[in-house]
Amino acid sequence: MTDDPLPGVPGENRDESENDQGDACGCGSSCGCQSEVAPDGGSRPANVDENGQLRDMEFTEPAREESQDVYETPPDQRVQRPGEEHLELDTPSYEIRSRMSDIETPAEKTWFMELDDAVIDDGRCIQCGTCVASCPSDSIGVDENGLPELVKMCTGCSLCWDFCPRGGLRYERQWVVTGGDDNVSGAGDPITEFSAKVEDDWQENAQDGGLVTSVLVHLLEAGEIDGALIATESEDDPWKAEAFLATTPEECIANAGSIYTQTMALGNLDLQQWDYKIDGPIEDASLALVGTPCEIEGIRALQDFQWEYGSHEEGVRAIDYAIALMCTKNFNYERLMGEQLVEQRDIELAEVGKMDVLDGKLMVYDHDGELIVDEDVENFHDAALKGCDECADFTGYCADLTVGSVGSSDEYSSVIVRTEAGLDAWNLTKDDLDYHDLEDRSAIGGLQSWDKKKAFEALERPFDPDAPRFIEYTEHVDQYGTTLNPHDEGH
C-alpha cells in the first residue's frame, strides 16, 4: 500500500480486487459512484494522512451554559481585506460599503440628504421642526444653530421631504384640505373675528392685547388641555426663543409676549422630555400649540395621516388646539440680535424690554416702554429667514385661532376664529375680555395680499392650491435647479 497514489487519484498499482469492491472512484469507500474524480476535487482532506488513513483526532467537549467560540478572530472584530488591520464591529467592512454604494436608489425614495441640499444648505429652512417630528426612525435632530441635522442613519422613508413646507409640502393645498376651497382667497373664511384685550394686570407684559395667553389660561383652568407648547426666552441668550411646555396659568403669564426667532417647535413634540410636567400617561395628553403659520401647516399635515412618527407620535396626536400668530417673516437670532441690533445699532440686549413688527416697522422698546428702534422692517431683511419670502400664509389658514395686532388699535389683539375648536376656546375666554367686532378687516386682507405677492415673486414653483399636496423631489429639482442625487455627488 506504500506505493498507492493519493486518495482520489486512480493508480496503476491498484489491483482488480479493489475495483470489485466498488472502489473504482477512488473515494475510499464502496459508494459505487464509478467516478474518476474525487468528491472534493482532488484536494487532500485535513483529517487523513498521505495514505488516506484517518488521523488520530481530539474532539473538543462542547461548552456548557455558554456560547462556544469557534472563530479564530475575536468576535468583536471583523476581518478586512488581506493585510488590513481589524476594525471594530460597528465599522462596516470595505466590501460591505462597496456593495452598498453600488445599489441603485429606488426612484420613489427621497432621503434627508435631498432635504438638506434643497432646503437647509440652500438657506431656505424656516426652522419649524416638521422634519424632526415626521421622522419615524428619530434620525433627525437639531444642531447648535437651530437647524435640522442627521443624527443617525436615514432610512429613505421620504417623510421629512414630504412634510417640509419649503420642500415637499405644497402648503397652499393644505389650506384647502384643512379649511375648504374658501380658505384660499382674502383672509380665508373665518367663523367670526374680533378685536379683544385682556383687562387683567398681567396684560401690560403681553404682546398687544394678551389674547393668546388668556386663551391658554382658560383652557388649562377648564381642564381642556394639559399644557401648551409655547416660546420662552433662553436663560443663556437674551431674546433667543426656545420651546417650552407651559402646564400652569402662571407659566403662561410669565412667558407672555413675542420673540421673533423660531423655536423648532414641532421638533420638541417628543413628550418624554416633558414627562415630568404632564400628569397622567403622555399618550392621553391634550395640548395646545402656539406657532407661526408654517408650524401650524406642518402639524395639520402630520395629523392627517395615521403613520407613526417615532418618539414624536404622542406629541403629534396630542395637539388639540392650534393657535397661529400673524407673521410676515421670522429672523435668525445671531443676525438679528447680534449683527443688526448689537453691532450695527449699538443696542445692549439687556436694555430690550419688548419687540414688535407692526405696519411694516420693526420696533424695539426698553424696559420703561421707550422706543429705541423704529425702522422699516426691510432694513432688517438680511437677518430674516430666507424661506419666509416664499410664504403666503400671513393669517394662519390652518389654525383654530389666528391672533395678531394688524386690524386692531393699540393694546388690542385681532382674533380670527376659524374652526369649531377655535370657537370653543373663544367662548371659554370671552367673558374675561374687553372685545368688539374686528375694527379693520381691510388691513388684514391688505397685508395678506401683500404677503402673497411677495411669495409669488420668491416661489420658483407654481402656486397651485388645487395641485397634489406633496411635491415630488424630481419636480422640485426641475423648478429650483437643485441636485438630483446629492449623495452621489459626494454630499
Side-chain angles (χ1 to χ4, degrees):
M1 297 294 292
T2 57
D3 294 329
D4 277 358
L6 294 177
V9 179
E12 297 178 354
N13 297 328
R14 196 177 292 274
D15 59 34
E16 294 298 320
S17 63
E18 291 180 300
N19 291 335
D20 292 339
Q21 295 174 4
D23 195 25
C25 68
C27 70
S29 68
S30 56
C31 68
C33 67
Q34 304 299 317
S35 171
E36 295 184 1
V37 180
D40 59 0
S43 62
R44 179 184 299 167
N47 61 342
V48 299
D49 62 20
E50 60 185 5
N51 295 316
Q53 301 301 313
L54 188 66
R55 299 178 187 275
D56 292 335
M57 300 188 66
E58 290 185 9
F59 290 91
T60 304
E61 184 178 348
R64 298 180 181 276
E65 299 182 356
E66 63 180 29
S67 297
Q68 185 174 5
D69 185 2
V70 297
Y71 301 101
E72 295 180 3
T73 305
D76 62 341
Q77 294 180 333
R78 183 180 278 125
V79 178
Q80 304 300 290
R81 288 186 167 185
E84 291 185 355
E85 296 294 329
H86 293 310
L87 297 182
E88 294 300 319
L89 188 61
D90 60 358
T91 305
S93 70
Y94 176 86
E95 286 81 6
I96 292 175
R97 294 175 67 182
S98 294
R99 291 197 297 270
M100 289 176 66
S101 297
D102 291 338
I103 296 173
E104 184 176 350
T105 302
E108 68 274 10
K109 271 186 176 287
T110 305
W111 305 79
F112 178 81
M113 289 171 285
E114 274 87 355
L115 179 71
D116 198 9
D117 184 68
V119 177
I120 303 168
D121 283 352
D122 197 37
R124 299 173 55 241
C125 177
I126 48 178
Q127 300 178 11
C128 61
T130 312
C131 59
V132 180
S134 70
C135 183
S137 58
D138 296 328
S139 296
I140 307 175
V142 183
D143 69 14
E144 60 184 8
N145 297 313
L147 294 171
E149 67 172 349
L150 200 64
V151 296
K152 62 180 182 180
M153 182 178 290
C154 174
T155 64
C157 73
S158 308
L159 295 185
C160 63
W161 171 259
D162 290 339
F163 288 113
C164 172
R166 293 299 169 269
L169 180 65
R170 195 183 309 274
Y171 65 79
E172 67 272 21
R173 179 60 183 168
Q174 186 62 42
W175 303 351
V176 178
V177 172
T178 300
D181 293 336
D182 292 336
N183 212 24
V184 177
S185 61
D189 187 28
I191 294 175
T192 187
E193 303 158 300
F194 300 99
S195 294
K197 72 173 182 178
V198 174
E199 297 186 297
D200 297 317
D201 292 339
W202 58 259
Q203 187 270 338
E204 63 184 28
N205 295 322
Q207 199 81 1
D208 306 311
L211 195 283
V212 171
T213 301
S214 185
V215 169
L216 297 179
V217 167
H218 282 81
L219 287 173
L220 281 168
E221 291 179 339
E224 290 294 317
I225 59 174
D226 299 297
L229 192 62
I230 61 175
T232 189
E233 184 178 358
S234 168
E235 294 182 359
D236 301 321
D237 301 301
W239 286 93
K240 183 176 184 179
E242 293 181 350
F244 178 71
L245 186 70
T247 54
T248 67
E250 291 76 18
E251 288 180 333
C252 293
I253 293 170
N255 289 285
S258 293
I259 305 176
Y260 290 92
T261 58
Q262 289 283 62
T263 66
M264 289 289 287
L266 303 191
N268 287 275
L269 284 176
D270 178 0
L271 296 190
Q272 289 293 343
Q273 67 175 311
W274 309 112
D275 186 38
Y276 70 100
K277 302 194 71 176
I278 299 175
D279 292 333
I282 60 174
E283 61 269 18
D284 296 334
S286 175
L287 304 178
L289 170 68
V290 180
T292 53
C294 55
E295 291 170 335
I296 308 303
E297 291 165 353
I299 192 64
R300 289 297 197 223
L302 290 169
Q303 290 180 326
D304 282 343
F305 297 89
Q306 294 305 310
W307 300 325
E308 294 185 3
Y309 301 116
S311 62
H312 292 75
E313 172 70 14
E314 286 85 2
V316 168
R317 306 301 172 195
I319 303 299
D320 291 324
Y321 296 89
I323 302 175
L325 305 173
M326 294 182 188
C327 180
T328 56
K329 63 181 61 182
N330 226 310
F331 298 90
N332 173 274
Y333 174 77
E334 296 295 341
R335 295 200 297 266
L336 176 64
M337 309 307 294
E339 297 174 11
Q340 295 285 341
L341 293 185
V342 175
E343 295 178 12
Q344 298 184 22
R345 291 165 177 81
D346 200 27
I347 301 294
E348 292 292 335
L349 297 186
E351 299 175 7
V352 178
K354 181 180 178 180
M355 296 181 63
D356 205 352
V357 176
L358 182 64
D359 298 329
K361 300 281 188 179
L362 189 146
M363 293 168 282
V364 180
Y365 301 84
D366 64 17
H367 293 283
D368 295 324
E370 294 294 325
L371 196 61
I372 54 179
V373 175
D374 183 9
E375 297 184 34
D376 193 306
V377 72
E378 289 301 317
N379 294 345
F380 301 87
H381 181 75
D382 290 344
L385 299 179
K386 177 182 174 182
C388 292
D389 292 341
E390 299 181 32
C391 178
D393 191 4
F394 166 64
T395 55
Y397 288 149
C398 296
D400 296 307
L401 289 174
T402 298
V403 181
S405 57
V406 177
S408 295
S409 55
D410 291 347
E411 297 187 354
Y412 279 82
S413 295
S414 297
V415 185
I416 302 175
V417 181
R418 295 192 175 279
T419 67
E420 293 296 332
L423 186 60
D424 291 341
W426 168 259
N427 286 332
L428 278 174
T429 311
K430 66 179 183 179
D431 290 345
D432 291 332
L433 301 174
D434 174 6
Y435 69 94
H436 46 266
D437 286 345
L438 183 64
E439 296 168 9
D440 192 350
R441 288 180 173 83
S442 63
I444 295 178
L447 193 49
Q448 177 68 74
S449 297
W450 175 87
D451 202 43
K452 280 186 179 179
K453 179 177 180 295
K454 299 290 287 185
F456 295 166
E457 294 171 355
L459 278 171
E460 297 292 335
R461 63 170 178 81
F463 180 89
D464 188 357
D466 296 321
R469 176 154 36 175
F470 299 122
I471 304 167
E472 295 290 342
Y473 182 73
T474 51
E475 181 182 344
H476 180 91
V477 168
D478 292 339
Q479 293 160 346
Y480 281 81
T482 51
T483 306
L484 182 58
N485 294 305
H487 47 289
D488 292 339
E489 301 293 330
H491 183 86

